[in-house]
Amino acid sequence: PAGEERIPLRGVRRAIAAHLLKAHQQTAPCTYVEEADFTELVRLREKVQPLAEQRGVRLTFLPFVIAAACAALKEHPRLNAVMDEETGELVVKRAHHIGIAAQTDQGLLVPVIRDADQRHILDLAAETHRLAEAARAGKLSREELSGGTFSITSLGPLGGLLATPIINTPQVAILGMHKIAPRPVARDGQVVIRQMANLSLTFDHRYIDGAVGAAFAATLIKYLEDPAVLLFSLAEFHHR
């Protein structure tokens, strides 16, 4: 009838809907939210952006978040895991295959960056861009959409203040990255303007206790707030 449009749920969109519904029904999701001070990371990105451009790489904040997440997962490995529903076991993974949510005309897809913990920042940036472009063009392979051990979703400047990301089962945790913006915060008894953003961590409470999720978030924020510590830790991991 006039005044309305009916959009059928079919194809990729139908498959995505079925996966999300299953994830919602078969997990005990708990979302933990904390804010992070990105001021130092904003400064670092501004300094290295020209170098990245010289190499043909568009450097966003997401590669730094991926690297920080990998570093934090090494300290809190229970979140880098998948569920085995048949045996009722949590399967902790040694490899770090990070799923990155990508918006496409067909819906939200989550291509996977293989061995993200072994990659440098510019490599992460290039691979993130490649996978996002392949997702939008409908050219992702089945392998590129499977095997993830932890996921990150970000809407960049549109990221809002708070969200409750849906776990990408059989994984047990997903990180939501929200927009970075100037906010007044208290530092040493003074109100100052800092580049702040909220982080939303959703985890399956059947396997991950709240204290474990909060500890992971605290470690992640430690790395994001002090990029020098993050880069040193990455160098240590790569040296090993």
Side-chain angles (χ1 to χ4, degrees), residues 76-97:
H76 307 278
R78 286 179 68 91
L79 283 83
N80 191 60
V82 298
M83 301 174 292
D84 187 332
E85 293 290 356
E86 292 186 2
T87 64
E89 293 175 321
L90 181 71
V91 183
V92 178
K93 299 291 188 176
R94 292 187 176 90
H96 294 75
H97 303 324

Side-chain angles (χ1 to χ4, degrees), residues 80-157:
N80 191 60
V82 298
M83 301 174 292
D84 187 332
E85 293 290 356
E86 292 186 2
T87 64
E89 293 175 321
L90 181 71
V91 183
V92 178
K93 299 291 188 176
R94 292 187 176 90
H96 294 75
H97 303 324
I98 307 299
I100 303 298
Q103 184 63 45
T104 74
D105 292 340
Q106 300 181 70
L108 195 66
L109 300 177
V110 189
V112 176
I113 299 177
R114 304 282 167 183
D115 299 310
D117 61 317
Q118 302 299 318
R119 298 172 182 260
H120 295 280
I121 293 295
L122 291 185
D123 187 13
L124 288 172
E127 183 68 353
T128 299
H129 179 74
R130 183 191 73 80
L131 289 172
E133 289 297 307
R136 284 188 282 269
K139 295 182 179 180
L140 288 172
S141 67
R142 182 178 296 274
E143 182 182 4
E144 289 172 327
L145 285 166
S146 61
T149 60
F150 182 88
S151 289
I152 299 173
T153 178
S154 170
L155 285 175

Side-chain angles (χ1 to χ4, degrees), residues 9-23 108:
L9 192 64
R10 60 166 65 116
V12 174
R13 173 68 73 172
R14 187 182 184 91
I16 293 172
H19 179 71
L20 291 174
L21 181 61
K22 180 180 178 182
L108 195 66

Side-chain angles (χ1 to χ4, degrees), residues 19-216:
H19 179 71
L20 291 174
L21 181 61
K22 180 180 178 182
H24 181 71
Q25 292 174 334
Q26 295 189 351
T27 61
C30 176
T31 300
Y32 177 84
V33 181
E34 184 56 282
E35 65 178 3
D37 187 339
F38 277 77
T39 304
E40 296 303 321
L41 189 53
V42 169
R43 291 171 180 165
L44 174 63
R45 177 178 170 271
E46 289 176 350
K47 289 181 179 179
V48 300
Q49 178 72 8
L51 298 175
E53 291 176 353
Q54 289 176 11
R55 301 187 184 185
V57 177
R58 179 173 176 266
L59 185 60
T60 66
F61 291 105
L62 185 55
F64 294 99
V65 176
I66 296 170
C70 288
L73 287 169
K74 288 179 182 293
E75 296 185 37
H76 307 278
R78 286 179 68 91
L79 283 83
N80 191 60
V82 298
M83 301 174 292
D84 187 332
E85 293 290 356
E86 292 186 2
T87 64
E89 293 175 321
L90 181 71
V91 183
V92 178
K93 299 291 188 176
R94 292 187 176 90
H96 294 75
H97 303 324
I98 307 299
I100 303 298
Q103 184 63 45
T104 74
D105 292 340
Q106 300 181 70
L108 195 66
L109 300 177
V110 189
V112 176
I113 299 177
R114 304 282 167 183
D115 299 310
D117 61 317
Q118 302 299 318
R119 298 172 182 260
H120 295 280
I121 293 295
L122 291 185
D123 187 13
L124 288 172
E127 183 68 353
T128 299
H129 179 74
R130 183 191 73 80
L131 289 172
E133 289 297 307
R136 284 188 282 269
K139 295 182 179 180
L140 288 172
S141 67
R142 182 178 296 274
E143 182 182 4
E144 289 172 327
L145 285 166
S146 61
T149 60
F150 182 88
S151 289
I152 299 173
T153 178
S154 170
L155 285 175
L158 300 176
L161 290 176
L162 172 66
T164 54
I166 297 176
I167 299 168
N168 185 23
T169 55
Q171 297 168 31
V172 295
I174 182 171
L175 176 70
M177 171 70 192
H178 303 292
K179 66 179 178 181
I180 301 171
R183 294 187 206 164
V185 296
R187 292 288 186 272
D188 300 322
Q190 301 292 322
V191 176
V192 296
I193 303 300
R194 305 286 288 181
Q195 296 287 342
M196 305 296 293
N198 289 346
L199 302 172
S200 299
L201 176 70
T202 299
F203 51 90
D204 191 336
H205 218 323
R206 296 179 302 166
Y207 296 97
I208 309 297
D209 292 332
V212 176
F216 167 81

